[in-house]
Amino acid sequence: MTVEQGDAAPTFALPGNDGRTHRLEDYAGRRLVLYFYPKDDTPGCTTQACDFRDNMARLTAAGAVVLGVSRDARASHDAFRDKYDLNFVLLTDEDVSVHRAYGAFGEKKSYGRTVEGVIRSTFIIDGDGVVTAAMRNVRAGGGHVDRVLATLEEG
């Protein structure tokens, strides 16, 4: 399944590193930046997480809540958050069912080979649960959060 701009966001209920279960409906009335990444504390994922961290004031000012999603367990998320002082919640999707629902897991190219894995993706969801942006195969750095912010500012 692939989620595109204008689609209803797939619902989810995932455990967060804050000890709560987070559901899409918890964010009704608020804008949500839901980003899927491969693995805690790896170079690209650290760059991406720290970029979100460093721009949190701008994201909050744009009315957005940020949630990161990976297959990693809570203990890994806790260590990652603490090591880099991350200021947003990380969700665990061990069976990748939510990744798959959003089209953030599947075949991709890695070093010239076709493999199955996490497709680094970011979704912006409005307060009514509609996907207003679907960004796939994003680069961990290179201004991704600036593009997210520009999209938030557009509408």
Side-chain angles (χ1 to χ4, degrees), residues 8-54:
T11 61
F12 59 83
L14 294 173
N17 66 313
D18 60 355
R20 293 184 33 232
T21 297
H22 292 258
R23 295 172 174 76
L24 178 62
E25 57 266 23
D26 296 341
Y27 299 94
R30 298 174 13 194
R31 297 162 90 189
L32 179 62
V33 175
L34 188 67
Y35 85 94
F36 294 85
Y37 65 97
K39 186 146 183 63
D40 290 342
D41 206 11
T42 56
C45 297
T46 298
T47 296
Q48 186 177 27
C50 290
D51 199 12
F52 276 111
R53 176 202 65 203
D54 294 346

Side-chain angles (χ1 to χ4, degrees), residues 123-144:
F123 299 88
I124 300 174
I125 303 166
D126 72 12
D128 295 321
V130 174
V131 175
T132 59
M135 305 171 189
R136 288 191 181 75
N137 296 307
V138 301
R139 295 191 56 196
H144 174 61

Side-chain angles (χ1 to χ4, degrees), residues 86-127:
L86 302 179
N87 51 6
F88 54 90
V89 173
L90 301 173
L91 304 178
T92 297
D93 182 26
E94 289 183 89
D95 68 359
V96 299
S97 60
V98 177
H99 283 74
R100 287 185 192 280
Y102 278 83
F105 191 90
E107 283 191 359
K108 64 180 186 173
K109 294 284 186 186
S110 179
Y111 301 104
R113 297 179 316 150
T114 300
V115 298
E116 186 173 63
V118 176
I119 300 166
R120 191 182 303 274
S121 305
T122 300
F123 299 88
I124 300 174
I125 303 166
D126 72 12

Side-chain angles (χ1 to χ4, degrees), residues 70-87:
S70 80
R71 297 184 291 181
D72 296 303
R74 181 176 175 184
S76 176
H77 283 337
D78 287 344
F80 187 40
R81 180 202 62 220
D82 292 348
K83 183 174 182 179
Y84 295 101
D85 197 28
L86 302 179
N87 51 6

